[in-house]
Amino acid sequence: MKKLLSVLLLFTLLLSLASCGTATRETVKPEEPSAPAQEPAEEEVELIVFAAASMTETLTTLGETYMSEHPNVTLVFNFDSSGTLKTQIQEGADVDVFISAGQKQMNQLDITASAEVNTEGLDFVLEGTRFNILENKVALAVPDNNPAGINSYEDMIKALQEGSAILAMGNSDVPVGQYTQKLLAYYEITEEELVAKGALTYGSNVKEVTTQVAEATVDCGIIYQTDACSAGLTVVDTATKEMCGQVIYPAAVMNVSQNQEAAKAFLEFLTSDAADKVFEAVGFTPVS
């Protein structure tokens, strides 16, 4: 009996020692990987672009492309005659970019321009941002089937002098009207003479003149080549530099802009190869 008790005590002691020598393991969970740092969201920007009415189709197309590539930018376009846009800017309209169909309207807002043109000493052009972006052509367009049989500027002048045709032209305060005045002077004919014959109608911008031709309410109209292309009108002649000068479109960021860097970036996009293709498709010539 004593021997049995001794064996049991020895066995218990061995179990205790084995238990003391066993290390306790703790399960350590691996650290969760940290989330990658996110780029800060680009600030939302609304750019207000004042542009000549003759750029309506091309800038609308290019604007959609630009906004798809720059989702933080919203472009708001205001298309009208360059003279009307110049007046709106002068009167305090919100604007970031101005693209005019003539140098005169941009000069009237540019403090560095001649005082003979900028007669009011206006200062709206952001220094270093003005450049010539496009060239257009002054075109003689006719309605479908050309009912008056006008095929050149010479034909137009003859028909107007005979009183057998009606011409649509822009008002004198818009570039297309000013180019038309120069063209009439080249042929030594005056507006007053044409008005007296009932041979002249007017439009407040190039789109209104284009509509008169498209609807055949006149026999011909002097518009831009690009507007004729966009409206599907037939161009029978285009004016040379000697006839009425070059049609150059200047562009600039306005110094009243609250988004000057974004405005500069948009103008840079308009000089890209992709933009050039859109302009060229309707008859513009990019100015390098």
Side-chain angles (χ1 to χ4, degrees):
M1 187 67 175
K2 289 181 180 180
K3 187 176 181 179
L4 179 59
L5 289 174
S6 297
V7 171
L8 289 174
L9 288 172
L10 179 60
F11 182 72
T12 301
L13 179 61
L14 290 173
L15 285 178
S16 298
L17 291 173
S19 176
C20 291
T22 303
T24 301
R25 294 183 179 179
E26 294 184 2
T27 303
V28 180
K29 293 184 179 180
E31 293 184 6
E32 294 291 335
S34 57
Q38 294 184 345
E39 294 290 331
E42 291 187 278
E43 183 181 354
E44 295 292 324
V45 175
E46 180 180 87
L47 284 181
I48 302 174
V49 180
F50 280 27
S54 51
M55 302 187 74
T56 301
E57 292 80 11
T58 50
L59 277 190
T60 299
T61 298
L62 288 170
E64 291 172 354
T65 300
Y66 191 79
M67 287 187 287
S68 69
E69 296 175 355
H70 301 80
N72 65 307
V73 177
T74 299
L75 293 170
V76 179
F77 291 109
N78 179 20
F79 296 109
D80 211 321
S81 72
S82 299
T84 297
L85 297 175
K86 172 262 175 184
T87 299
Q88 292 175 353
I89 293 170
Q90 179 181 356
E91 292 178 348
D94 290 335
V95 59
D96 297 293
V97 171
F98 180 37
I99 308 176
S100 171
Q103 299 286 3
K104 178 181 178 180
Q105 289 72 25
M106 187 68 79
N107 285 338
Q108 289 174 331
L109 297 172
D110 190 347
I111 195 63
T112 67
S114 167
E116 294 180 1
V117 181
N118 187 358
T119 57
E120 298 174 83
L122 300 178
D123 183 10
F124 284 90
V125 174
L126 182 64
E127 184 179 358
T129 65
R130 177 176 175 174
F131 66 100
N132 294 330
I133 186 170
L134 298 168
E135 181 177 1
N136 210 336
K137 295 292 184 183
V138 175
L140 178 61
V142 296
D144 288 344
N145 303 316
N146 193 6
I150 295 173
N151 294 299
S152 66
Y153 279 115
E154 287 75 14
D155 286 349
M156 177 196 75
I157 294 298
K158 181 180 178 181
L160 292 176
Q161 289 175 327
E162 292 173 349
S164 60
I166 299 176
L167 167 70
M169 66 175 281
N171 291 339
S172 61
D173 64 338
V174 301
V176 72
Q178 293 158 5
Y179 291 120
T180 304
Q181 289 176 325
K182 293 178 181 178
L183 194 147
L184 293 176
Y186 176 83
Y187 285 104
E188 299 181 342
I189 189 171
T190 66
E191 288 180 69
E192 291 75 18
E193 181 182 346
L194 297 180
V195 170
K197 292 176 180 291
L200 198 60
T201 67
Y202 292 92
S204 63
N205 58 49
V206 70
K207 292 301 182 186
E208 288 189 6
V209 179
T210 302
T211 298
Q212 291 182 51
V213 179
E215 294 179 350
T217 58
V218 294
D219 298 296
C220 57
I222 297 178
I223 58 178
Y224 296 124
Q225 179 172 265
T226 54
D227 291 283
C229 178
S230 297
L233 294 175
T234 299
V235 171
V236 295
D237 206 352
T238 55
T240 64
K241 177 181 178 181
E242 290 70 31
M243 292 165 70
C244 63
Q246 286 181 283
V247 185
I248 302 295
Y249 287 53
V253 176
M254 298 291 97
N255 58 22
V256 294
S257 169
Q258 300 300 308
N259 302 289
Q260 294 180 3
E261 293 306 314
K264 291 177 187 177
F266 177 63
L267 281 182
E268 184 176 354
F269 164 75
L270 294 184
T271 65
S272 66
D273 290 342
D276 285 351
K277 291 178 181 178
V278 174
F279 288 131
E280 290 170 347
V282 298
F284 280 115
T285 302
V287 177
S288 56

